[in-house]
Amino acid sequence: MDENALLAANAVYYQAFAARDLGAMEALWASDGVTCVHPGWPALIGRAPVIASYRDIFRNPSQEAVTAREEKTLIEGGDGRVFCVEEVGGGLLLATNWFRLIDEKWRLLHHQASPLAPPPPAKQEAKRSFH
């Protein structure tokens, strides 16, 4: 499978999140070997806890929208990773979405997002004072 198919699977993740579509989210995840680390949460291991976390997030009326940009991919054999910047409520997170090719479809194995530090300020040229 090519990079475009991997990026399409990644887009499905964010579309399901935006629509709060638990069925679409469930369909994207692999059936076993899944893990997830939401920002500030403990590690979730196993499909049931991971899917339950999305159900709880989708039920939260104050959950901010999540959008992704700056996707970068890495495909090695049957595994594909997408690294991207998520914007949530004006804040930025760095996310990793790890997929595996299962029955010719990219299935999500692991999602992790954590706060992204702001870039350092641009260096200014040293000011010279002449007396």
Side-chain angles (χ1 to χ4, degrees):
M1 298 289 286
D2 63 13
E3 181 181 41
N4 290 334
L6 178 59
L7 288 169
N10 196 64
V12 167
Y13 173 82
Y14 290 100
Q15 291 162 0
F17 205 107
R20 298 175 184 243
D21 185 341
L22 189 61
M25 186 64 76
E26 285 182 281
L28 182 62
W29 283 86
S31 58
D32 56 15
V34 302
T35 54
C36 182
V37 181
H38 297 295
W41 290 41
L44 301 171
I45 300 171
R47 183 176 166 85
V50 169
I51 298 302
S53 74
Y54 286 96
R55 183 181 57 243
D56 293 345
I57 290 168
F58 293 169
R59 287 179 179 167
N60 179 358
S62 62
Q63 172 62 46
E64 301 275 355
V66 179
T67 59
R69 63 177 194 245
E70 300 176 40
E71 293 93 345
K72 293 178 177 62
T73 63
L74 175 63
I75 298 174
E76 292 181 327
D79 284 0
R81 285 171 271 178
V82 180
F83 306 94
C84 58
V85 174
E86 293 181 347
E87 186 169 344
V88 184
L92 298 179
L93 302 172
L94 181 61
T96 301
N97 296 315
W98 192 316
F99 295 84
R100 179 160 293 149
L101 199 53
I102 300 171
D103 296 329
E104 300 186 27
K105 291 185 182 180
W106 288 111
R107 298 292 182 201
L108 194 54
L109 286 179
H110 178 76
H111 168 78
Q112 183 164 351
S114 59
L116 182 62
K123 292 184 179 183
Q124 296 180 357
E125 286 189 37
K127 294 182 182 179
R128 293 184 179 177
S129 59
F130 296 95
H131 298 303

